[in-house]
């Protein structure tokens, strides 16, 4: 296939060291609004099969620029890893007639030990099988397959959640390197009942070593419950 894609850089602030965790809610809400507007615009292009919003913060996370920024990449195909995640969600739905992510939300709320934050529209928690220490998911409590469908009220709740979670990580680990990704449905699956968009935040506190690289099995040397208790101790 011929080379194709879109790559955009979102400059989050005119201030050179204005980290997201230190922004006001008004400033952060503008960043999230920009994410949404650019996502919708790129998704409207029929050639774009996948739109991925992500942020690399710090050298260990792959950031090549110090100035606060996020990135959006749109591709003309769907990578195998995302196809696999969608296929597993479809398999779960075909078996149980429920969204696996909605079941994860219910599971985490019933257990309670890994929850970091809950507000009107979002739940933030460290997953039961977190791949890395202090990995946090921020997920809409209402089923939505695509970030495209986020409402104004949800944007306000997401601003509150992002500021809180990034602020805790900043405070606890002295501004750690991290990546975050907005996982959303691909084109033609924006209204699917088995897919659920969410934000994944992965602090770069450990190093991927030989076993992980050779087996693609992640080793997490900490307990998610302990991680959540540490972040909740303020």
């Amino acid at each position: 296939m011929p080379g194709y894609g879109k790559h955009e850089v979102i400059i989050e602030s005119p201030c050179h060291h204005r980290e997201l965790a230190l922004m006001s809610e008004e400033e952060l809400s503008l960043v999230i609004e920009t994410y949404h507007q650019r996502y919708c615009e790129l998704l409207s292009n029929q050639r774009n099969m996948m739109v991925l919003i992500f942020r690399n913060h710090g050298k260990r996370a792959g950031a090549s620029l110090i100035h606060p920024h996020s990135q959006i990449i749109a591709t003309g195909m769907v990578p195998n890893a995302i196809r696999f995640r969608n296929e597993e969600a479809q398999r779960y739905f075909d078996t149980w007639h429920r969204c696996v992510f909605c079941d994860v939300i219910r599971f985490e709320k019933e257990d309670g030990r890994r929850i970091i934050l809950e507000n009107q529209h979002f739940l933030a928690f460290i997953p039961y099988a977190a791949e890395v220490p202090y990995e946090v998911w921020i997920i809409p409590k209402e089923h939505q397959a695509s970030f495209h469908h986020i409402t104004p009220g949800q944007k306000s709740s997401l601003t509150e959640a992002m500021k809180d979670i990034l602020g805790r990580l900043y405070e606890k680990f002295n501004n750690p390197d991290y990546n975050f990704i907005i996982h959303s449905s691909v084109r033609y699956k924006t209204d699917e009942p088995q897919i659920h968009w969410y934000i994944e935040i992965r602090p770069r506190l450990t190093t991927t070593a030989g076993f992980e690289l050779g087996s693609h099995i992640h080793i997490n040397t900490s307990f998610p419950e302990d991680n959540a208790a540490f972040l909740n101790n303020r």
Side-chain angles (χ1 to χ4, degrees):
M1 63 185 297
Y4 172 79
K6 302 285 186 180
H7 184 195
E8 299 183 356
V9 176
I10 296 175
I11 307 302
E12 299 161 347
S13 171
C15 302
H16 188 59
H17 295 287
R18 192 67 160 170
E19 168 54 29
L20 284 186
L22 303 180
M23 287 184 180
S24 67
E25 287 198 8
E26 181 180 3
E27 291 171 318
L28 186 53
S29 70
L30 290 174
V31 175
I32 291 172
E33 179 62 33
T34 305
Y35 288 169
H36 186 233
Q37 289 189 19
R38 296 311 305 147
Y39 183 90
C40 293
E41 175 66 23
L42 288 166
L43 199 65
S44 69
N45 185 330
Q46 296 295 317
R47 295 188 67 185
N48 295 332
M49 295 293 106
M50 178 196 73
V51 179
L52 187 69
I53 301 173
F54 61 97
R55 189 174 199 271
N56 304 328
H57 175 69
K59 289 184 178 180
R60 295 185 67 186
S64 56
L65 300 173
I66 296 176
H67 195 101
H69 69 287
S70 306
Q71 299 179 66
I72 306 178
I73 290 181
T75 64
M77 53 77 183
V78 180
N80 285 336
I82 293 179
R83 287 185 182 275
F84 176 76
R85 185 170 69 237
N86 290 344
E87 289 165 0
E88 288 298 293
Q90 182 69 62
R91 184 175 62 84
Y92 187 95
F93 186 86
D94 291 345
T95 302
W96 303 105
H97 311 293
R98 301 191 304 269
C99 166
V100 62
F101 296 94
C102 291
D103 276 4
V104 167
I105 291 171
R106 283 190 287 270
F107 173 76
E108 294 295 350
K109 290 184 69 173
E110 288 174 3
D111 186 283
R113 292 175 296 166
R114 292 171 293 276
I115 292 176
I116 309 298
L117 173 146
E118 181 178 4
N119 61 24
Q120 182 179 359
H121 296 292
F122 288 88
L123 187 73
F125 58 92
I126 296 179
Y128 174 82
E131 291 186 345
V132 299
Y134 298 95
E135 172 186 341
V136 180
W137 286 18
I138 303 175
I139 188 166
K141 294 191 289 185
E142 177 184 350
H143 180 83
Q144 286 178 325
S146 175
F147 181 62
H148 171 81
H149 296 311
I150 190 171
T151 66
Q154 286 177 313
K155 289 177 188 176
S156 178
S157 290
L158 181 57
T159 298
E160 174 189 320
M162 289 287 289
K163 181 172 175 57
D164 187 296
I165 298 303
L166 291 175
R168 294 194 207 195
L169 292 172
Y170 185 96
E171 175 186 341
K172 294 289 187 177
F173 299 107
N174 191 27
N175 191 21
D177 296 353
Y178 66 82
N179 304 94
F180 79 61
I181 309 102
I182 299 181
H183 296 285
S184 185
S185 65
V186 298
R187 173 169 294 285
Y188 306 125
K189 292 185 177 292
T190 57
D191 295 305
E192 294 286 308
Q194 77 277 5
I195 301 171
H196 203 120
W197 78 267
Y198 65 99
I199 295 177
E200 177 186 7
I201 305 173
R202 294 173 69 107
R204 292 286 188 155
L205 303 175
T206 58
T207 301
T208 300
F211 180 77
E212 290 91 339
L213 292 172
S215 66
H216 294 279
I217 297 173
H218 292 268
I219 297 177
N220 187 343
T221 57
S222 63
F223 289 103
E225 295 79 12
D226 293 343
N227 293 171
F230 179 73
L231 290 178
N232 284 326
N233 183 18
R234 305 183 72 182

